[in-house]
Every structure is written in C-alpha cells, then in structure tokens.
Amino acid sequence: MRYYVYAVHIDETRNRLLSVFDNRSEAGAMEQELQSSAKGNDTYFIRMFPAQNVEEARIKADQMRPIPLMFH
C-alpha cells in the first residue's frame, strides 16, 4: 500500500497529486504541514489517501470534490 497526498480542489480545477509515499507517517507529516500552511483563499484542501495504485487514489480524491469534474 502506498500513500498519496493530493490537493483536492473545491472549484472546477482538476485535483493535483502532490507526492507519493511508502510510509504512512511521512505522508501524514506532509499532509499536516501543507494543511497548516493553507490560506483562507485557497481553492483546494490537502488530503492523504492510502491506495493500491495511483488510479485508486485519484478516484478517492475525486470522490471528495464538492464540485464534480465535467468530462467532455
């Protein structure tokens, strides 16, 4: 299992994969650090997802979006 740290966007922008870790504590530390430096006007929030692969992590991040992406 790997740990994926994402910027999950609250607008129509695509989510961004920020980093991938093999170690949960390192991923959690990055998540905490980025959350603590968030600004009030950011259009995203930071979350870490455990997943088997990048596709599973992307799906988990997309499920947290308040505004679903519209695919053309």
Side-chain angles (χ1 to χ4, degrees):
M1 173 112 9
R2 299 186 88 191
Y3 301 91
Y4 298 80
V5 179
Y6 266 87
V8 179
H9 282 264
I10 59 174
D11 58 9
E12 62 280 345
T13 309
R14 290 188 179 274
N15 295 334
R16 290 179 290 136
L17 175 60
L18 302 175
S19 197
V20 181
F21 294 89
D22 291 323
N23 181 294
R24 182 181 181 89
S25 63
E26 290 175 3
M30 181 179 190
E31 178 188 38
Q32 292 266 301
E33 180 183 334
L34 293 173
Q35 285 175 348
S36 68
S37 64
K39 297 171 183 56
N41 60 345
D42 285 344
T43 59
Y44 60 88
F45 57 93
I46 305 299
R47 283 293 181 274
M48 181 260 300
F49 301 99
Q52 295 298 326
N53 55 54
V54 70
E55 181 65 16
E56 181 184 347
R58 184 193 60 76
I59 291 168
K60 288 180 176 185
D62 285 347
Q63 290 173 341
M64 293 200 73
R65 294 177 62 88
I67 298 174
L69 282 176
M70 297 305 214
F71 296 99
H72 300 19

